[in-house]
Amino acid sequence: MKILKFTLITLFTFSLVSCKKDATVTETPKDSLTAKKDSVAIPEVHKEYYGIYTGEFAGKGELYDNETKEYYEGTDYKRLSLKINRITQDSVYGQSIVNGTQRPFRGVFNEGTQSFVLDEPGNDKTDGRFEIKLKNDSITGKWTAFNKSAVKAPLKNLKLIKKEFVYNPNFMLDENSDLIDWENPKDFKEKYTDEETGKTETYTASKNRIASDAVFKINASKQKLSEKDLKNLRKSGYGNH
């Protein structure tokens, strides 16, 4: 009987030692250092530059005239917004917005020259690099496309002003605006009959998709929109614009 008790006590003591040893092993110095490192936030600088800068974005390029069906050298003009979200000692983060298309960017800020170099991701044909300078509430500089043959104007100049956002529930799109997708024209085969010969011939017409007139009539800030209201708003069809 004494031998049995001694054996049980020995096993119980060994179990406690084993559990204590296992509990000690599960927490390693490496895990502790990682947790401590992850908890340290990278400090932000120059928060006064955060915000949205909006203005002109234009450059010379080969444009297409839908009426004459010919290409010509002209100015490709757009509106651009640059949104600066975060600045640290070695990085700048934000988005560029052109014609409703938003692209993220990342770059660097030179405090001495008050200038930015900002790169879009590069996985879209319209991506490029911004080389800009900040002065008070304005930004000036240039944008250069990574793929110069994929866009109409591979080099554009920009002049932007910082805009403070003010919510206006009554804001509506200007009915005189032409909301046209200039970047993605589509070719159509069309036919016409020659009045002199009576022969029917086929030709190719390049057309751009245009927004529905409904975009000028709905207001999501003042009315609840249904699925029916939202269908086909962005590109309702093709037109010669």
Side-chain angles (χ1 to χ4, degrees), residues 51-127:
I52 300 175
Y53 299 78
T54 301
E56 301 175 358
F57 187 49
K60 297 290 184 181
E62 190 177 47
L63 309 181
Y64 184 77
D65 190 321
N66 286 292
E67 294 183 2
T68 63
K69 312 299 181 187
E70 295 179 350
Y71 286 93
Y72 66 97
E73 188 73 19
T75 301
D76 184 26
Y77 175 84
K78 290 182 173 65
R79 295 287 293 179
L80 166 71
S81 292
L82 291 182
K83 186 173 184 289
I84 298 176
N85 296 333
R86 188 164 175 256
I87 303 175
T88 65
Q89 289 291 346
D90 59 0
S91 295
V92 179
Y93 303 87
Q95 293 92 31
S96 63
I97 307 167
V98 180
N99 290 349
T101 300
Q102 180 173 295
R103 300 295 293 161
F105 62 67
R106 181 175 178 177
V108 293
F109 175 64
N110 186 317
E111 189 171 4
T113 60
Q114 293 287 286
S115 60
F116 295 88
V117 176
L118 309 171
D119 286 342
E120 293 168 315
N123 55 2
D124 186 272
K125 68 178 183 179
T126 63
D127 285 350

Coordinates of all heavy atoms in Angstrom, one line a residue, residues 51-127:
G51 N -5.5 66.8 -47.1 CA -6.7 67.4 -47.7 C -6.8 67.1 -49.2 O -6.0 66.3 -49.7
I52 N -7.7 67.8 -49.8 CA -8.0 67.6 -51.2 C -7.6 68.8 -52.0 O -8.0 70.0 -51.7 CB -9.5 67.3 -51.5 CG1 -9.9 66.0 -50.8 CG2 -9.8 67.1 -53.0 CD1 -11.3 65.6 -50.8
Y53 N -6.8 68.6 -53.0 CA -6.4 69.7 -53.9 C -6.9 69.5 -55.3 O -6.7 68.4 -55.9 CB -4.8 69.8 -54.0 CG -4.2 70.0 -52.7 CD1 -4.0 69.0 -51.7 CD2 -3.7 71.3 -52.3 CE1 -3.4 69.2 -50.5 CE2 -3.0 71.5 -51.1 CZ -2.9 70.5 -50.2 OH -2.3 70.7 -49.0
T54 N -7.7 70.5 -55.8 CA -8.4 70.3 -57.1 C -8.1 71.4 -58.1 O -7.9 72.5 -57.7 CB -9.9 70.3 -56.8 OG1 -10.2 69.3 -55.9 CG2 -10.7 70.0 -58.1
G55 N -8.1 71.0 -59.4 CA -7.9 72.0 -60.4 C -7.6 71.5 -61.8 O -8.1 70.4 -62.1
E56 N -6.8 72.2 -62.6 CA -6.6 71.9 -64.0 C -5.5 70.8 -64.1 O -4.6 70.7 -63.4 CB -6.0 73.2 -64.7 CG -7.0 74.4 -64.6 CD -6.4 75.6 -65.2 OE1 -5.2 75.5 -65.7 OE2 -7.1 76.6 -65.3
F57 N -5.8 70.0 -65.2 CA -4.9 68.9 -65.5 C -4.9 68.7 -67.0 O -5.9 68.2 -67.6 CB -5.5 67.6 -64.8 CG -4.6 66.4 -64.9 CD1 -3.3 66.5 -64.6 CD2 -5.2 65.2 -65.2 CE1 -2.5 65.3 -64.6 CE2 -4.4 64.0 -65.3 CZ -3.0 64.1 -65.0
A58 N -3.9 69.2 -67.7 CA -4.0 69.3 -69.1 C -2.6 69.1 -69.8 O -1.6 69.3 -69.2 CB -4.5 70.6 -69.6
G59 N -2.7 68.5 -71.0 CA -1.4 68.3 -71.7 C -1.7 68.1 -73.2 O -2.8 67.8 -73.7
K60 N -0.7 68.3 -74.0 CA -0.8 68.2 -75.5 C -0.8 66.7 -75.9 O 0.0 65.9 -75.3 CB 0.4 68.9 -76.2 CG 0.4 70.4 -76.0 CD -0.7 71.1 -76.7 CE -0.6 72.6 -76.5 NZ -1.7 73.3 -77.2
G61 N -1.6 66.4 -76.8 CA -1.7 65.0 -77.3 C -2.4 64.8 -78.6 O -3.0 65.8 -79.1
E62 N -2.5 63.6 -79.0 CA -3.2 63.3 -80.3 C -4.6 62.9 -79.9 O -4.9 61.8 -79.4 CB -2.5 62.1 -81.0 CG -3.0 61.9 -82.4 CD -2.3 60.8 -83.1 OE1 -2.1 59.7 -82.5 OE2 -1.9 61.0 -84.3
L63 N -5.5 63.8 -80.3 CA -7.0 63.6 -79.9 C -7.7 63.2 -81.2 O -7.3 63.4 -82.3 CB -7.5 64.9 -79.4 CG -6.7 65.5 -78.2 CD1 -7.4 66.8 -77.7 CD2 -6.5 64.6 -77.1
Y64 N -8.9 62.6 -80.9 CA -9.8 62.1 -82.0 C -11.0 63.0 -82.1 O -11.7 63.2 -81.1 CB -10.2 60.7 -81.8 CG -10.9 60.0 -82.9 CD1 -10.3 59.6 -84.1 CD2 -12.3 59.9 -82.8 CE1 -11.0 59.1 -85.1 CE2 -13.0 59.3 -83.8 CZ -12.4 58.9 -85.0 OH -13.1 58.3 -86.0
D65 N -11.3 63.5 -83.3 CA -12.5 64.3 -83.6 C -13.6 63.3 -84.2 O -13.4 62.8 -85.3 CB -12.2 65.4 -84.6 CG -13.3 66.4 -84.8 OD1 -14.5 65.9 -84.7 OD2 -13.0 67.6 -84.9
N66 N -14.7 63.2 -83.4 CA -15.7 62.3 -83.8 C -16.5 62.8 -85.1 O -17.1 62.0 -85.7 CB -16.7 62.0 -82.7 CG -16.1 61.1 -81.6 OD1 -15.9 59.9 -81.8 ND2 -15.9 61.7 -80.4
E67 N -16.5 64.1 -85.3 CA -17.2 64.6 -86.5 C -16.4 64.4 -87.7 O -17.0 64.0 -88.8 CB -17.5 66.1 -86.2 CG -18.5 66.3 -85.1 CD -18.8 67.8 -84.9 OE1 -18.3 68.6 -85.7 OE2 -19.6 68.1 -84.0
T68 N -15.1 64.7 -87.7 CA -14.3 64.6 -88.9 C -13.7 63.2 -89.1 O -13.2 62.9 -90.1 CB -13.2 65.6 -88.9 OG1 -12.3 65.3 -87.8 CG2 -13.7 67.0 -88.8
K69 N -13.8 62.4 -88.0 CA -13.2 61.0 -88.0 C -11.7 61.1 -88.2 O -11.1 60.2 -88.8 CB -13.9 60.1 -89.0 CG -15.4 60.2 -89.0 CD -15.9 59.7 -87.7 CE -17.5 59.7 -87.8 NZ -18.1 59.4 -86.5
E70 N -11.1 62.1 -87.7 CA -9.6 62.3 -87.8 C -9.0 62.6 -86.5 O -9.6 63.1 -85.6 CB -9.3 63.4 -88.8 CG -9.8 63.1 -90.3 CD -9.5 64.2 -91.2 OE1 -9.0 65.3 -90.7 OE2 -9.6 64.1 -92.4
Y71 N -7.7 62.3 -86.4 CA -6.9 62.6 -85.3 C -6.2 64.0 -85.5 O -5.9 64.3 -86.6 CB -5.8 61.6 -85.0 CG -6.4 60.3 -84.4 CD1 -6.7 59.2 -85.2 CD2 -6.5 60.1 -83.0 CE1 -7.2 58.0 -84.7 CE2 -7.0 59.0 -82.5 CZ -7.4 57.9 -83.3 OH -7.9 56.8 -82.8
Y72 N -6.1 64.7 -84.4 CA -5.4 66.0 -84.5 C -4.6 66.3 -83.2 O -4.9 65.7 -82.2 CB -6.5 67.1 -84.7 CG -7.4 67.3 -83.5 CD1 -7.2 68.3 -82.6 CD2 -8.5 66.5 -83.3 CE1 -8.0 68.5 -81.5 CE2 -9.4 66.6 -82.2 CZ -9.1 67.6 -81.3 OH -9.9 67.8 -80.2
E73 N -3.7 67.2 -83.3 CA -2.9 67.6 -82.2 C -3.7 68.7 -81.4 O -4.0 69.7 -81.9 CB -1.5 68.2 -82.6 CG -0.6 68.4 -81.5 CD 0.0 67.1 -80.9 OE1 0.0 66.1 -81.6 OE2 0.5 67.2 -79.8
G74 N -3.9 68.4 -80.1 CA -4.7 69.3 -79.3 C -4.4 69.2 -77.8 O -3.5 68.4 -77.4
T75 N -5.2 69.8 -77.0 CA -5.0 69.8 -75.6 C -6.0 68.9 -74.9 O -7.2 69.1 -75.1 CB -5.1 71.2 -74.9 OG1 -4.1 72.1 -75.5 CG2 -4.9 71.2 -73.4
D76 N -5.5 67.9 -74.2 CA -6.4 67.0 -73.5 C -6.6 67.6 -72.1 O -5.7 67.6 -71.3 CB -5.7 65.6 -73.4 CG -6.6 64.6 -72.7 OD1 -7.9 64.8 -72.7 OD2 -6.1 63.6 -72.1
Y77 N -7.8 68.1 -71.8 CA -8.0 68.8 -70.6 C -9.0 68.0 -69.7 O -10.0 67.5 -70.1 CB -8.7 70.2 -70.9 CG -9.1 71.0 -69.7 CD1 -8.2 71.7 -69.0 CD2 -10.4 70.9 -69.2 CE1 -8.6 72.4 -67.8 CE2 -10.8 71.6 -68.0 CZ -9.9 72.3 -67.4 OH -10.2 73.0 -66.2
K78 N -8.6 67.9 -68.4 CA -9.4 67.2 -67.4 C -9.3 67.9 -66.1 O -8.5 68.9 -65.9 CB -8.9 65.8 -67.2 CG -9.2 64.8 -68.4 CD -8.7 63.4 -68.1 CE -9.1 62.5 -69.2 NZ -8.4 62.8 -70.5
R79 N -10.2 67.5 -65.2 CA -10.2 68.0 -63.8 C -9.5 67.0 -62.9 O -9.8 65.8 -63.1 CB -11.6 68.3 -63.3 CG -12.3 69.4 -64.0 CD -11.7 70.8 -63.7 NE -12.0 71.2 -62.3 CZ -11.6 72.3 -61.8 NH1 -10.9 73.2 -62.5 NH2 -11.8 72.6 -60.5
L80 N -8.6 67.4 -62.1 CA -7.9 66.4 -61.2 C -8.0 66.8 -59.8 O -8.0 68.0 -59.4 CB -6.4 66.5 -61.6 CG -5.4 65.8 -60.6 CD1 -5.6 64.3 -60.6 CD2 -4.0 66.2 -60.9
S81 N -8.1 65.8 -58.9 CA -8.1 66.0 -57.5 C -7.0 65.1 -56.9 O -7.0 63.9 -57.2 CB -9.4 65.7 -56.8 OG -10.4 66.7 -57.2
L82 N -6.2 65.7 -56.1 CA -5.2 64.9 -55.3 C -5.6 64.9 -53.8 O -5.7 66.0 -53.3 CB -3.8 65.4 -55.5 CG -3.1 65.3 -56.9 CD1 -1.7 65.8 -56.9 CD2 -3.1 63.8 -57.3
K83 N -5.8 63.8 -53.2 CA -6.1 63.7 -51.8 C -5.0 63.2 -51.0 O -4.6 62.0 -51.2 CB -7.4 62.8 -51.7 CG -7.9 62.8 -50.3 CD -9.2 62.0 -50.2 CE -9.8 62.0 -48.8 NZ -9.1 61.2 -47.9
I84 N -4.4 64.0 -50.2 CA -3.3 63.6 -49.4 C -3.8 63.1 -48.0 O -4.4 63.9 -47.3 CB -2.2 64.7 -49.2 CG1 -1.7 65.1 -50.5 CG2 -1.1 64.3 -48.2 CD1 -0.7 66.3 -50.5
N85 N -3.6 61.8 -47.7 CA -4.2 61.2 -46.5 C -3.2 61.1 -45.3 O -3.6 61.3 -44.2 CB -4.7 59.8 -46.8 CG -5.8 59.8 -47.8 OD1 -6.6 60.8 -47.9 ND2 -5.9 58.7 -48.6
R86 N -1.9 60.9 -45.7 CA -1.0 60.6 -44.6 C 0.4 60.9 -45.0 O 0.8 60.6 -46.1 CB -1.1 59.1 -44.2 CG -0.3 58.7 -43.0 CD -0.8 57.3 -42.5 NE -0.1 56.8 -41.4 CZ 0.8 55.8 -41.5 NH1 1.0 55.3 -42.7 NH2 1.5 55.4 -40.5
I87 N 1.2 61.5 -44.1 CA 2.6 61.8 -44.4 C 3.5 61.3 -43.2 O 3.2 61.7 -42.1 CB 2.9 63.3 -44.7 CG1 2.0 63.8 -45.8 CG2 4.3 63.6 -45.0 CD1 2.1 65.3 -46.0
T88 N 4.5 60.5 -43.5 CA 5.4 60.2 -42.4 C 6.8 60.6 -42.9 O 7.0 61.3 -43.9 CB 5.5 58.6 -42.2 OG1 6.0 58.0 -43.4 CG2 4.1 58.1 -41.9
Q89 N 7.8 60.3 -42.1 CA 9.2 60.8 -42.5 C 9.7 60.2 -43.8 O 10.5 60.9 -44.5 CB 10.2 60.4 -41.4 CG 10.0 61.2 -40.1 CD 10.4 62.6 -40.2 OE1 11.0 63.0 -41.2 NE2 10.0 63.4 -39.2
D90 N 9.2 59.0 -44.2 CA 9.7 58.4 -45.4 C 8.6 58.1 -46.5 O 8.9 57.6 -47.5 CB 10.5 57.1 -45.1 CG 9.6 56.1 -44.4 OD1 8.4 56.4 -44.1 OD2 10.2 55.0 -44.1
S91 N 7.4 58.4 -46.2 CA 6.3 58.0 -47.2 C 5.1 59.0 -47.1 O 4.9 59.7 -46.1 CB 5.8 56.6 -46.8 OG 6.8 55.7 -47.0
V92 N 4.5 59.1 -48.3 CA 3.2 59.9 -48.5 C 2.2 59.0 -49.1 O 2.5 58.2 -50.0 CB 3.5 61.1 -49.4 CG1 2.2 61.9 -49.5 CG2 4.6 62.0 -48.8
Y93 N 1.0 59.0 -48.6 CA -0.1 58.2 -49.1 C -1.3 59.0 -49.4 O -1.6 60.0 -48.8 CB -0.5 57.2 -48.0 CG 0.6 56.3 -47.5 CD1 1.4 56.7 -46.4 CD2 0.8 55.0 -48.0 CE1 2.4 55.9 -45.9 CE2 1.9 54.2 -47.6 CZ 2.7 54.7 -46.5 OH 3.7 53.9 -46.0
G94 N -2.0 58.6 -50.5 CA -3.2 59.3 -50.9 C -3.8 58.7 -52.2 O -3.5 57.6 -52.6
Q95 N -4.7 59.5 -52.8 CA -5.4 59.1 -54.1 C -5.4 60.2 -55.1 O -5.5 61.4 -54.7 CB -6.8 58.6 -53.8 CG -6.9 57.4 -53.0 CD -7.1 57.7 -51.5 OE1 -7.6 58.7 -51.1 NE2 -6.6 56.8 -50.6
S96 N -5.4 59.8 -56.3 CA -5.7 60.8 -57.4 C -7.0 60.4 -58.0 O -7.4 59.3 -58.1 CB -4.6 60.7 -58.5 OG -4.6 59.4 -59.1
I97 N -7.8 61.5 -58.4 CA -9.1 61.3 -58.9 C -9.3 62.1 -60.1 O -9.2 63.3 -60.1 CB -10.2 61.7 -57.8 CG1 -10.0 61.0 -56.5 CG2 -11.6 61.4 -58.4 CD1 -10.8 61.6 -55.3
V98 N -9.6 61.4 -61.3 CA -9.8 62.0 -62.6 C -11.0 61.4 -63.2 O -11.1 60.2 -63.4 CB -8.6 61.8 -63.5 CG1 -8.8 62.5 -64.9 CG2 -7.3 62.3 -62.9
N99 N -12.0 62.3 -63.5 CA -13.3 61.8 -64.1 C -13.9 60.7 -63.3 O -14.4 59.7 -63.9 CB -13.0 61.4 -65.6 CG -12.7 62.5 -66.5 OD1 -12.9 63.7 -66.1 ND2 -12.2 62.2 -67.7
G100 N -13.8 60.8 -62.0 CA -14.5 59.8 -61.2 C -13.6 58.5 -61.0 O -14.0 57.7 -60.2
T101 N -12.5 58.4 -61.7 CA -11.6 57.2 -61.5 C -10.6 57.5 -60.4 O -9.8 58.5 -60.5 CB -10.9 56.9 -62.8 OG1 -11.8 56.6 -63.8 CG2 -10.0 55.7 -62.6
Q102 N -10.5 56.7 -59.4 CA -9.6 56.9 -58.3 C -8.5 55.9 -58.3 O -8.7 54.7 -58.5 CB -10.4 56.8 -57.0 CG -9.6 57.0 -55.7 CD -10.5 57.0 -54.5 OE1 -11.3 57.8 -54.3 NE2 -10.3 56.0 -53.6
R103 N -7.3 56.4 -58.1 CA -6.1 55.6 -58.1 C -5.3 55.9 -56.9 O -5.0 57.1 -56.6 CB -5.2 55.8 -59.4 CG -5.9 55.5 -60.7 CD -6.2 54.1 -60.8 NE -5.0 53.2 -60.9 CZ -5.0 51.9 -60.7 NH1 -6.1 51.3 -60.3 NH2 -3.9 51.3 -60.8
P104 N -4.8 54.9 -56.1 CA -4.0 55.2 -55.0 C -2.6 55.6 -55.4 O -2.1 55.3 -56.5 CB -3.9 53.9 -54.3 CG -4.1 52.9 -55.3 CD -5.0 53.5 -56.3
F105 N -1.9 56.4 -54.6 CA -0.5 56.7 -54.8 C 0.3 56.6 -53.6 O -0.2 56.7 -52.5 CB -0.3 58.1 -55.5 CG -0.8 59.3 -54.7 CD1 -0.1 59.6 -53.5 CD2 -1.9 60.0 -55.2 CE1 -0.6 60.8 -52.8 CE2 -2.3 61.1 -54.4 CZ -1.6 61.5 -53.3
R106 N 1.6 56.5 -53.7 CA 2.6 56.5 -52.6 C 3.8 57.2 -53.1 O 4.2 57.0 -54.2 CB 2.9 55.1 -52.2 CG 3.8 55.0 -51.0 CD 4.1 53.6 -50.4 NE 5.0 53.6 -49.3 CZ 5.3 52.5 -48.7 NH1 4.8 51.4 -49.0 NH2 6.2 52.6 -47.7
G107 N 4.4 58.0 -52.2 CA 5.6 58.7 -52.6 C 6.4 59.2 -51.4 O 6.3 58.7 -50.3
V108 N 7.1 60.3 -51.7 CA 8.0 60.9 -50.7 C 7.8 62.4 -50.7 O 7.4 63.0 -51.7 CB 9.5 60.6 -50.9 CG1 9.7 59.1 -50.7 CG2 9.9 61.0 -52.3
F109 N 8.1 63.1 -49.6 CA 8.0 64.5 -49.4 C 9.3 65.1 -49.1 O 10.0 64.6 -48.1 CB 7.0 64.9 -48.4 CG 6.9 66.3 -48.1 CD1 6.5 67.2 -49.0 CD2 7.2 66.8 -46.8 CE1 6.4 68.6 -48.8 CE2 7.1 68.2 -46.5 CZ 6.7 69.1 -47.5
N110 N 9.8 66.0 -49.8 CA 11.1 66.7 -49.5 C 10.7 68.0 -48.8 O 10.2 69.0 -49.4 CB 11.8 67.0 -50.8 CG 13.2 67.6 -50.6 OD1 13.4 68.4 -49.7 ND2 14.2 67.1 -51.4
E111 N 11.1 68.0 -47.5 CA 10.7 69.2 -46.7 C 11.5 70.4 -47.1 O 11.0 71.5 -47.0 CB 11.0 68.8 -45.2 CG 10.5 69.9 -44.2 CD 10.5 69.4 -42.8 OE1 11.1 68.3 -42.6 OE2 10.1 70.2 -41.9
G112 N 12.7 70.2 -47.5 CA 13.5 71.4 -47.9 C 13.0 72.1 -49.1 O 13.0 73.4 -49.1
T113 N 12.6 71.4 -50.1 CA 12.0 72.0 -51.4 C 10.5 72.1 -51.4 O 10.0 72.6 -52.3 CB 12.5 71.2 -52.6 OG1 12.0 69.9 -52.5 CG2 14.0 71.2 -52.7
Q114 N 9.9 71.6 -50.3 CA 8.4 71.5 -50.3 C 7.8 70.9 -51.5 O 6.9 71.4 -52.2 CB 7.8 73.0 -50.1 CG 8.2 73.6 -48.8 CD 7.4 73.1 -47.7 OE1 6.2 73.3 -47.5 NE2 8.0 72.3 -46.8
S115 N 8.4 69.7 -51.9 CA 8.0 69.0 -53.1 C 7.7 67.6 -52.9 O 8.2 67.0 -51.9 CB 9.0 69.2 -54.2 OG 10.3 68.6 -53.8
F116 N 6.8 67.0 -53.7 CA 6.4 65.6 -53.6 C 6.8 64.9 -54.9 O 6.7 65.5 -56.0 CB 4.9 65.5 -53.5 CG 4.3 66.1 -52.2 CD1 3.9 67.4 -52.1 CD2 4.1 65.2 -51.1 CE1 3.4 67.9 -51.0 CE2 3.5 65.8 -49.9 CZ 3.2 67.1 -49.9
V117 N 7.1 63.6 -54.8 CA 7.2 62.7 -55.9 C 6.2 61.5 -55.5 O 6.4 60.8 -54.6 CB 8.6 62.2 -56.1 CG1 8.6 61.1 -57.3 CG2 9.5 63.3 -56.5
L118 N 5.1 61.4 -56.3 CA 4.1 60.5 -56.0 C 3.8 59.5 -57.2 O 3.6 59.9 -58.3 CB 2.8 61.2 -55.7 CG 2.9 62.4 -54.7 CD1 1.6 63.1 -54.6 CD2 3.2 61.8 -53.3
D119 N 3.9 58.2 -56.9 CA 3.7 57.2 -57.9 C 2.4 56.4 -57.8 O 2.1 55.9 -56.7 CB 4.9 56.2 -57.9 CG 6.1 56.7 -58.4 OD1 6.1 57.7 -59.2 OD2 7.2 56.1 -58.2
E120 N 1.6 56.4 -58.8 CA 0.5 55.5 -58.9 C 0.9 54.1 -59.1 O 2.1 53.8 -59.4 CB -0.5 55.9 -60.0 CG -1.1 57.3 -59.7 CD -1.8 57.9 -60.9 OE1 -1.3 57.9 -62.0 OE2 -2.9 58.5 -60.7
P121 N 0.1 53.0 -58.8 CA 0.6 51.6 -58.8 C 1.3 51.2 -60.0 O 2.2 50.4 -59.9 CB -0.7 50.8 -58.6 CG -1.7 51.8 -57.9 CD -1.3 53.1 -58.5
G122 N 0.8 51.6 -61.2 CA 1.5 51.1 -62.4 C 0.8 50.0 -63.1 O 1.3 49.5 -64.2
N123 N -0.2 49.4 -62.6 CA -0.9 48.3 -63.2 C -2.1 48.7 -64.0 O -2.9 47.8 -64.4 CB -1.3 47.3 -62.1 CG -2.2 47.9 -61.0 OD1 -2.5 49.1 -61.1 ND2 -2.6 47.1 -60.0
D124 N -2.3 50.0 -64.3 CA -3.3 50.5 -65.1 C -2.6 51.4 -66.2 O -1.7 52.1 -65.9 CB -4.3 51.3 -64.4 CG -5.5 51.7 -65.2 OD1 -5.5 52.8 -65.8 OD2 -6.5 50.9 -65.3
K125 N -3.2 51.4 -67.4 CA -2.6 52.1 -68.5 C -2.5 53.6 -68.2 O -1.7 54.4 -68.9 CB -3.3 51.8 -69.8 CG -4.7 52.4 -69.9 CD -5.3 52.1 -71.3 CE -6.7 52.7 -71.4 NZ -7.3 52.5 -72.7
T126 N -3.4 54.1 -67.4 CA -3.4 55.6 -67.1 C -2.6 56.0 -65.9 O -2.6 57.1 -65.5 CB -4.9 56.0 -66.9 OG1 -5.4 55.3 -65.7 CG2 -5.8 55.7 -68.0
D127 N -1.8 55.1 -65.3 CA -1.0 55.4 -64.1 C 0.2 56.1 -64.5 O 0.8 56.0 -65.6 CB -0.6 54.1 -63.4 CG -1.8 53.5 -62.6 OD1 -2.8 54.2 -62.5 OD2 -1.7 52.4 -62.1

